[in-house]
Amino acid sequence: MTETAMRSIDGIKDISYPAAGSGSEYVSGWRVYAILLTLFLVSAISQADRILPFIMAEAIKTELSLSDTQVGLLTGVPFAICYTLLSLPLGRAADRSSPRLVLVLCILAWSAMTALGGVAASFLVLALTRFGVASGEAGAFPAGHAIIARKIRPERRGLAIGLFAMGLPLGAMVGFAAGGAIADQLGWRVVLVGAGAIGGVIALLVLLVIGPTPPLRQATAAGDSFLRSCVRLLAGPAFRWLFVGAIAVGFASAPFYAFAGPFLIRIHGFTAGEAGLAFGLLQGLMGIFGAVIGGRMFDRAVQSGTGRVLGPPAYLFLVASATTTVALFVPQGWMAVALLVPGMLSFAFMLPWAFGAAHLVAGKGREAQATSIVMVGSGLMGPALGPLIVGLVSDAASAAQISNGLAFGLLMVPVASIATALAMLVANRRIAEAFARR
């Protein structure tokens, strides 16, 4: 990104920036790749730990005698509540203190809770462990983005965000494929305990590789509280529409990941291993392509100086809405999987664009804060209500003897995808107008 990426736009140009401290110099050479690889592993294990119950939902449902509504609650509400409560304070801590320390503590917290989920004997206990996982993961992306802002040069930051985000779809691939296969052989409890142990190793790697990240001297403007600066960001049209888009994408992505595996298993007769391999492998491949290419394209969009930094992901969401709708009602399983691919790509492709645009609008020294606010938007109502609504519709359809009832519930995904695209197009125009006023 160019120097414009270091400014705050959209009516908040008066924000002052922190002076670089002794631990905030940009790294070069092999250290860049070591840091990005470590952050990639962090995002991968966080996503794997988050989605493991999705692909193992049928096994968990059978052993603990759960309903689809309870599965929706298990996979949605804990993350929505904890993201809301903890993402902003953890983002503040990452901006104002050591993001490396924040990240290490978060990894240890969610890894321990993942492992404890493997010994849960009831819905309530398992739900409590998912609250613990969500509590730790709420700080992963804000702290990771704060590390990128301190360690990676601006002109490479979009790609760095993309590589960090690439861990999400690849983590989903590993979670779906390996988690489903291991669960078929050894059971879902072994999967959760093993995933928790891997997280502990990655926490140690973060501590050793990232290097010191001491507190910055000043993370907010003089006399400007964190809450007030959040309100000021949301008061700007560009960031406000980014936030609306984040809310919409939560309603699209949460049900997509929560019920895609069960949909393939119930409607098309896949085993958990087959569904995990088919869905997870494609999700991983689309994640690699989407995150890396999306990051490079975002850097070039910023360098163009036009401020049009959200158009491509918006158009991709419109395409994905159409293909996902068809995927829910085609008779062949392989065709359904193929038609879900644009949806998989859209979620990965938009990550560097959405977070990069949020950082651009927020300005230097507020990257973790901007990430936290976007996460609150995407992680609040959508994950809390989306899977729950899909589960309710599915249960109601089954009670009414309607075949393929889960597909009708999953129609929420293409509807929310259209809403995401529209919000991004408005935000794209607002950011371009702000650039033109500079």
Side-chain angles (χ1 to χ4, degrees):
M1 293 184 288
T2 63
E3 187 62 25
T4 59
M6 305 305 294
R7 300 175 183 173
S8 175
I9 65 173
D10 197 30
I12 49 176
K13 299 183 180 68
D14 57 330
I15 291 178
S16 60
Y17 303 118
S22 60
S24 63
E25 296 90 348
Y26 301 136
V27 298
S28 60
W30 66 270
R31 289 198 62 199
V32 173
Y33 302 102
I35 289 174
L36 292 179
L37 176 60
T38 302
L39 291 177
F40 162 78
L41 292 175
V42 169
S43 62
I45 192 64
S46 71
Q47 182 69 356
D49 286 355
R50 180 171 184 172
I51 59 90
L52 281 174
F54 298 171
I55 192 60
M56 302 186 300
E58 292 298 290
I60 295 172
K61 177 182 176 182
T62 300
E63 182 171 338
L64 299 183
S65 301
L66 306 181
S67 67
D68 276 345
T69 301
Q70 287 177 306
V71 172
L73 286 169
L74 188 67
T75 56
V77 173
F79 280 86
I81 293 176
C82 291
Y83 266 36
T84 302
L85 295 178
L86 294 176
S87 178
L88 285 173
L90 288 172
R92 176 185 176 89
D95 274 335
R96 296 175 65 94
S97 63
S98 167
R100 179 181 67 162
L101 178 60
V102 171
L103 185 57
V104 169
L105 293 177
C106 286
I107 297 171
L108 291 176
W110 89 60
S111 297
M113 290 297 103
T114 298
L116 288 175
V119 298
S122 68
F123 167 77
L124 177 61
V125 174
L126 185 58
L128 289 175
T129 65
R130 299 312 293 172
F131 275 100
V133 173
S135 298
E137 292 194 5
F141 257 66
H145 285 169
I147 290 170
I148 288 173
R150 296 197 194 183
K151 299 291 185 179
I152 306 300
R153 295 187 179 279
E155 63 271 14
R156 307 174 70 177
R157 202 161 293 163
L159 179 59
I161 293 173
L163 292 173
F164 183 33
M166 189 174 70
L168 297 180
L170 285 182
M173 179 182 72
V174 173
F176 275 109
I182 295 173
D184 282 344
Q185 297 298 318
L186 302 177
W188 61 271
R189 297 182 182 275
V190 173
V191 175
L192 292 180
V193 172
I198 293 172
V201 175
I202 292 177
L204 178 61
L205 189 64
V206 169
L207 192 64
L208 297 175
V209 172
I210 298 300
T213 55
L216 295 173
R217 294 180 183 178
Q218 183 183 6
T220 60
D224 197 11
S225 68
F226 182 78
L227 179 59
R228 183 179 176 184
S229 64
C230 288
V231 173
R232 293 177 64 206
L233 274 177
L234 290 170
F239 201 94
R240 185 166 60 245
W241 279 103
L242 274 171
F243 187 71
V244 171
I247 293 173
V249 82
F251 277 98
S253 61
F256 185 85
Y257 287 114
F259 284 104
F263 170 77
L264 294 175
I265 292 170
R266 295 184 205 175
I267 306 304
H268 296 290
F270 285 45
T271 66
E274 290 170 343
L277 181 61
F279 188 82
L281 181 61
L282 286 171
Q283 176 65 43
L285 293 175
M286 292 303 100
I288 294 173
F289 179 81
V292 174
I293 300 302
R296 292 295 299 271
M297 290 179 65
F298 175 79
D299 282 338
R300 292 177 181 176
V302 174
Q303 290 168 5
S304 71
T306 64
R308 299 188 179 279
V309 292
L310 288 172
Y315 297 128
L316 180 57
F317 267 101
L318 290 176
V319 173
S321 67
T323 60
T324 301
T325 301
V326 178
L328 297 175
F329 298 101
V330 295
Q332 294 86 11
W334 64 268
M335 187 178 296
V337 172
L339 288 168
L340 291 174
V341 169
M344 303 175 194
L345 178 60
S346 66
F347 297 131
F349 185 74
M350 64 84 65
L351 289 172
W353 295 84
F355 285 120
H359 296 173
L360 182 65
V361 174
K364 186 177 181 180
R366 290 174 174 78
E367 292 87 357
Q369 175 187 358
T371 296
S372 297
I373 296 173
V374 171
M375 287 175 59
V376 167
S378 63
L380 177 56
M381 290 185 289
L385 300 178
L388 177 59
I389 293 172
V390 171
L392 289 170
V393 172
S394 176
D395 287 341
S398 298
Q401 303 298 314
I402 298 176
S403 61
N404 199 9
L406 184 55
F408 286 96
L410 282 170
L411 284 173
M412 175 181 292
V413 175
V415 171
S417 295
I418 293 174
T420 301
L422 296 177
M424 285 187 172
L425 288 173
V426 176
N428 187 52
R429 179 168 60 86
R430 294 294 191 179
I431 295 173
E433 291 172 353
F435 264 70
R437 294 194 301 265
R438 288 185 295 111

